């Protein structure tokens, strides 16, 4: 009886672990894409967008990353942070047509930000690098910003991450890094300014939804395995009611 219960408990733990693994796989997006993190920001404010660049090649390394900014919904300010081994250049240009924002006419905006590896530096096979960028103010006339990126390898190959996903359609092979813009919360124009964003509340290591999903899935998987093994152990150690303990003499009464 107890052997049957133990086997059932162990099987239950394995099933729970499998379910957790399936949920983890379903929640995890493709990890090889160049992405913008976090994936959301508030309209009208400043934020830190981190461009995560994984290396897809097994033989070559990434030596240059160029991110293009939208000119139809322009961003007027972009500031880089020192990145060991990399040179960063922010380029501004004249807009095709001026826009009005907060009572002022805007004629120039950020067009590209380029990170170039110094000699001896690259993103090698199996590696990735985060490139943080403080940007703003974010436009209020759109709910989404796409930042096409060009990834250059030291063998001369260039991969363009510039495809947009259509509503209801499958994810393209080379999706452009995209940020969803939400309305500003009450009491703040975009939530916080660039200095506050740079101070760390939106840093590259702690604001990735992907990381949160991975950690949550792994925790669920380990918890399910622990539950199954713990139940099996408890059943193995359980003794039938009334059985004497090891080393205990059975007392008889006359």
């Amino acid at each position: 009886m107890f052997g049957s219960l133990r086997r059932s408990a162990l099987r239950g733990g394995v099933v729970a672990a499998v379910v957790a693994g399936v949920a983890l796989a379903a929640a995890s997006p493709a990890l090889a894409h160049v992405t913008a993190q976090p994936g959301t920001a508030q309209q009208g404010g400043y934020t830190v967008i981190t461009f995560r660049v994984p290396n897809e090649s097994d033989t070559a390394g990434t030596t240059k990353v160029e991110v293009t900014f939208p000119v139809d919904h322009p961003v007027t300010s972009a500031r880089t942070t020192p990145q060991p081994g990399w040179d960063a250049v922010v380029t501004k240009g004249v807009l095709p047509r001026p826009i009005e924002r907060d009572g002022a006419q805007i004629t120039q905006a950020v067009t590209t930000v380029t990170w170039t590896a110094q000699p001896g530096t690259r993103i090698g096979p199996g590696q990735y690098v985060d490139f943080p960028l403080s940007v703003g103010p974010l436009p209020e006339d759109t709910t989404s910003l796409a930042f096409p990126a060009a990834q250059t390898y030291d063998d001369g190959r260039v991969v363009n991450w510039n495809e947009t996903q259509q509503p209801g359609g499958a994810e393209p092979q080379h999706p452009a890094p995209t940020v969803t813009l939400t309305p500003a919360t009450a009491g703040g124009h975009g939530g916080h300014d660039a200095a506050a964003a740079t101070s760390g509340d939106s840093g590259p290591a702690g604001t990735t939804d992907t990381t949160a999903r991975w950690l949550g899935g792994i925790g669920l998987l380990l918890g399910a395995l622990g539950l199954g093994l713990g139940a099996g152990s408890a059943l193995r150690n359980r003794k039938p009611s009334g059985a004497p303990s090891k080393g205990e003499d059975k007392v008889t009464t006359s």
Side-chain angles (χ1 to χ4, degrees):
M1 173 181 175
F2 293 103
S4 176
L5 288 174
R6 181 172 64 251
R7 287 192 296 272
S8 297
L10 291 174
R11 282 198 299 269
V14 172
V15 170
V18 172
V19 171
V22 172
L24 172 62
S28 302
L31 298 180
H33 300 346
V34 174
T35 57
Q37 301 182 24
T40 60
Q42 290 188 2
Q43 296 171 337
Y46 289 81
T47 191
V48 171
I49 297 176
T50 297
F51 293 94
R52 174 159 293 180
V53 182
N55 197 85
E56 288 190 313
S57 175
D58 294 330
T59 57
T62 298
T63 55
K64 181 180 178 181
V65 178
E66 183 177 78
V67 174
T68 301
F69 278 57
V71 295
D72 52 345
H73 304 288
V75 176
T76 57
S77 174
R79 297 186 180 187
T80 62
T81 189
Q83 194 84 358
W86 295 82
D87 295 321
V89 176
V90 177
T91 303
K92 289 188 175 184
V94 177
L95 296 175
R97 61 179 183 276
I99 66 170
E100 295 285 338
R101 183 178 291 173
D102 295 331
Q105 188 178 69
I106 298 175
T107 60
Q108 290 188 331
V110 178
T111 55
T112 61
V113 177
T114 306
W115 290 272
T116 305
Q118 298 170 0
T121 299
R122 69 173 190 167
I123 308 173
Q127 299 177 338
Y128 75 91
V129 169
D130 285 341
F131 296 98
L133 201 60
S134 177
V135 299
L138 298 177
E140 301 180 71
D141 57 350
T142 183
T143 58
S144 180
L145 285 181
F147 297 90
Q151 181 177 10
T152 301
Y153 289 85
D154 54 14
D155 63 358
R157 186 167 64 101
V158 178
V159 178
N160 290 300
W161 302 93
N162 58 2
E163 300 174 350
T164 56
Q165 183 171 354
Q166 301 302 318
E171 183 182 51
Q173 185 175 2
H174 296 94
T178 302
V179 175
T180 299
L181 300 183
T182 60
T185 57
H189 198 60
H192 52 268
D193 58 16
T198 309
S199 66
D201 64 339
S202 300
T207 55
T208 164
D209 291 338
T210 301
T211 302
R213 284 194 294 266
W214 272 102
L215 292 176
I218 291 172
L220 181 61
L221 178 62
L222 294 176
L225 287 173
L227 178 63
L229 294 176
S233 177
L235 288 173
R236 285 195 302 271
N237 294 329
R238 184 174 177 179
K239 300 179 178 60
S241 177
S245 301
K246 185 179 180 180
E248 179 184 2
D249 293 332
K250 187 176 180 180
V251 179
T252 60
T253 60
S254 57

